C-alpha cells in the first residue's frame, strides 16, 4: 500500500529521511482491526520522529502519522485514539509507562490503511468531516486535557497560550474561549496574532511582551523560547501546564519564580480514549471545528511536512488518502 514513512532519521535535517512509496500492509494482532484512512493530520510529533526522537534506528522504516479518521472493517466512520496502551493495561492509557503513540512502535496513519486496537476506535459523528475529525486525536486532545483536566481554572479565568499558530495552540484558543475562559496569546507573527483574535482570543501579544495583568494559567508547548515569560506572567498560586518543548528545555529553569510565587508546574500528555469521546461531543454540541490550514493529498505529503518543519502552519495540515 502507499505510505509516507521515515526511512532514516537525522536530528539536523529531519526531512532528508522522509520517503513516499510502497510499504507492507499493517499486521493485525489479536484484538486489533484496520481502518481505511480517509484523512490524517500532521503534528510536530512527525518532525520529532524524523529527528529520531522516540524512533530508534532499529524500528525503521516506520510509517509516520498519529492521527486518523476513516472507515472500519464494518463500514463505520471512526476516529482512532492514537495512544496504544500495553496489553492488559487498565485505566488512564497516558499513565501506562509502556504506552506508545501510533508511528512510534506500530505503523502510523499516513497510509491507505492503519491497524489499531479495537478499543481505540471512537465513532465519528456525521457532523464532523473526515478532515476535521482527523485533527482531534493528538493536538486537540492534548489541548482539551491541558485546559479542562490540568489547568485548574473556571470560566472567567485568564489563560495565556504561548505560540498562537500551532496545532495545539489554536485548539487551546478555540476550546478555551468557547468554554468561557479569557484567552490571551503570544505569537511571533502579526498575521497569526490577528488570526488568533478571530478564533476567539481576547488579546494577542508579541513574544515576551509585558501583559496588562498576570494570568491564572499558562499553556506551554514552545519551551525554552517562552518559558521565562510564562513564569513571569503567572499570578501567585497560578498554574503552568506544559505538554511540549518545541524550542528545547529552558535553562535556567526559573525555580525562584516557582517557589516564591507558589506556582504549580503541571505536565500533560495526550488524553484518554474517554476524553477523546468527550472532545468530539464538545465539538458537536458547540459547533466548534478545527481550523484546517491546508488539505494535501497523501502523495504530496512532503509539502505539508515542509510547512510544519518551518513553523509556518496556522492550525492543522491534513493529508487525504
Ligand atoms: N505531550 C503531548 O502529548 C504532546 C501532544 C501534542 C504536541 N506536543 C508537543 O507540543 C509542541 C507543539 O506541537 P504542535 O503539533 O502544536 O506543533 P506546531 O503545530 O508545529 O506548532 C509549533 C508552535 O511553536 C511556536 N514556535 C515554534 N518555534 C518557535 C520559536 N522559536 N519561538 C517561539 N515560538 C515558536 C509556534 O508559534 P508562532 O509561530 O505562533 O509563534 C507554534 O505555535 C511540539 O513540541 C509537540 O511535540 C506534545
Amino acid at each position: 500500500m502507499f505510505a509516507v514513512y521515515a526511512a532514516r532519521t537525522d536530528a539536523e535535517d529531519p526531512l532528508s529521511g522522509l520517503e513516499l512509496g510502497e510499504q507492507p500492509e499493517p499486521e493485525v494482532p489479536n484484538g486489533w482491526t484496520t481502518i481505511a484512512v480517509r484523512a490524517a493530520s500532521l503534528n510536530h510529533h512527525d518532525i520529532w520522529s524524523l529527528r529520531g526522537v522516540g524512533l530508534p534506528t532499529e524500528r525503521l522504516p516506520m510509517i509516520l502519522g498519529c492521527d486518523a479518521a476513516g472507515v472500519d472493517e464494518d463500514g463505520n466512520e471512526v476516529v482512532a485514539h492514537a495512544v496504544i496502551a500495553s496489553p492488559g493495561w487498565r485505566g488512564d492509557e497516558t499513565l501506562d509507562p509502556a504506552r506508545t503513540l501510533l508511528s512510534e512502535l506500530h505503523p502510523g496513519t499516513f497510509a491507505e490503511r492503519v491497524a489499531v486496537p479495537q478499543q481505540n476506535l471512537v465513532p465519528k459523528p456525521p457532523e464532523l468531516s473526515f478532515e476535521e475529525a482527523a485533527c482531534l486525536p493528538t493536538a486537540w486532545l492534548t489541548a482539551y486535557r491541558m485546559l479542562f483536566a490540568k489547568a485548574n481554572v473556571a470560566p472567567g479565568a485568564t489563560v495565556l497560550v504561548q505560540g498562537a499558530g500551532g496545532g495545539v495552540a489554536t485548539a487551546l484558543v478555540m476550546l478555551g474561549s468557547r468554554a468561557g475562559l479569557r484567552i490571551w496569546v503570544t505569537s511571533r507573527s502579526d498575521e497569526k496574532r490577528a488570526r488568533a483574535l478571530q478564533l476567539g482570543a481576547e488579546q494577542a501579544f508579541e513574544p515576551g511582551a509585558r501583559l496588562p495583568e498576570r494570568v491564572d494559567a499558562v499553556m506551554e508547548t514552545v519551551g525554552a523560547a517562552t518559558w521565562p515569560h510564562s513564569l513571569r506572567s503567572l499570578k501567585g498560586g497560578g498554574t503552568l501546564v506544559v505538554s511540549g518543548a518545541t524550542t528545547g528545555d529552558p535553562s535556567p529553569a526559573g525555580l525562584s519564580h516557582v517557589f516564591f510565587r507558589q506556582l504549580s508546574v503541571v505536565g500533560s500528555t495526550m488524553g484518554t480514549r474517554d476524553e477523546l469521546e468527550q472532545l468530539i461531543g464538545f465539538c458537536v454540541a458547540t459547533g466548534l471545528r478545527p481550523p484546517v490550514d491546508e488539505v494535501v493529498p497523501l502523495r504530496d505529503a512532503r509539502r505539508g511536512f515542509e510547512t510544519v518543519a518551518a513553523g509556518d502552519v496556522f492550525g492543522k495540515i491534513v493529508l487525504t488518502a
Side-chain angles (χ1 to χ4, degrees):
M1 64 177 180
F2 184 80
V4 176
Y5 59 97
R8 296 166 300 284
T9 57
D10 186 327
E12 303 307 320
D13 183 12
L15 297 197
S16 64
L18 180 68
E19 290 196 4
L20 286 71
E22 287 300 307
Q23 285 290 291
E25 290 285 335
E27 285 175 25
V28 188
N30 268 347
W32 288 49
T33 187
T34 53
I35 301 175
V37 177
R38 292 286 183 81
S41 77
L42 272 157
N43 289 289
H44 212 91
H45 183 277
D46 304 305
I47 308 296
W48 288 123
S49 299
L50 287 164
R51 290 189 194 279
V53 178
L55 186 56
T57 311
E58 61 271 18
R59 292 192 200 148
L60 300 175
M62 176 61 80
I63 299 175
L64 295 167
C66 302
D67 295 348
V71 178
D72 74 7
E73 290 172 2
D74 299 321
N76 302 307
E77 297 188 352
V78 292
V79 184
H81 181 225
V83 182
I84 310 297
S86 44
W89 178 262
R90 294 280 172 274
D92 185 332
E93 304 91 328
T94 66
L95 295 177
D96 174 2
R99 73 184 183 280
T100 58
L101 296 186
L102 284 172
S103 79
E104 289 178 348
L105 184 59
H106 306 284
T109 58
F110 296 163
E112 293 173 77
R113 279 166 293 286
V114 62
V116 296
Q118 187 80 41
Q119 68 204 26
N120 284 47
L121 298 185
V122 177
K124 179 189 89 59
E127 290 90 341
L128 293 176
S129 68
F130 284 109
E131 288 82 358
E132 289 162 346
C135 298
L136 300 179
T138 295
W140 275 63
L141 181 59
T142 300
Y144 184 88
R145 173 175 269 221
M146 290 172 79
L147 277 176
F148 303 135
K150 301 285 187 173
N152 192 27
V153 286
T158 308
V159 175
L160 177 67
V161 176
Q162 298 283 18
V168 178
T170 47
L172 287 164
V173 170
M174 294 180 76
L175 290 167
S177 56
R178 194 56 69 103
L181 296 164
R182 299 170 63 207
I183 301 288
W184 294 359
V185 299
T186 66
S187 174
R188 296 165 298 171
S189 124
D190 268 347
E191 192 202 328
K192 290 184 190 178
R193 289 196 291 274
R195 289 177 74 178
L197 294 173
Q198 287 166 4
L199 291 186
E202 188 189 80
Q203 297 199 55
F205 304 91
E206 292 186 8
R210 190 184 176 87
L211 304 180
E213 60 190 62
R214 285 185 162 146
V215 299
D216 298 290
V218 178
M219 304 291 116
E220 254 295 350
T221 60
V222 180
T226 51
W227 187 262
H229 182 244
S230 294
L231 291 177
R232 283 200 310 275
S233 300
L234 275 168
K235 280 180 189 164
T239 305
L240 195 167
V241 184
V242 55
S243 73
T246 304
T247 58
D249 264 0
S251 174
L255 293 183
S256 56
H257 284 284
V258 176
F259 64 73
F260 191 69
R261 282 188 293 116
Q262 303 185 69
L263 308 178
S264 298
V265 177
V266 179
S268 194
T269 280
M270 300 293 287
T272 62
R273 182 199 175 284
D274 290 349
E275 285 169 328
L276 178 58
E277 219 166 353
Q278 288 160 10
L279 164 63
I280 290 171
F282 187 101
C283 291
V284 171
T286 57
L288 212 55
R289 299 291 181 267
V292 175
D293 200 25
E294 201 181 351
V295 178
V296 178
L298 197 57
R299 286 172 192 277
D300 296 334
R302 181 173 292 278
R303 184 152 53 85
F305 274 81
E306 284 166 354
T307 307
V308 174
D312 283 344
V313 71
F314 189 87
K316 297 288 288 172
I317 294 185
V318 176
L319 306 177
T320 46

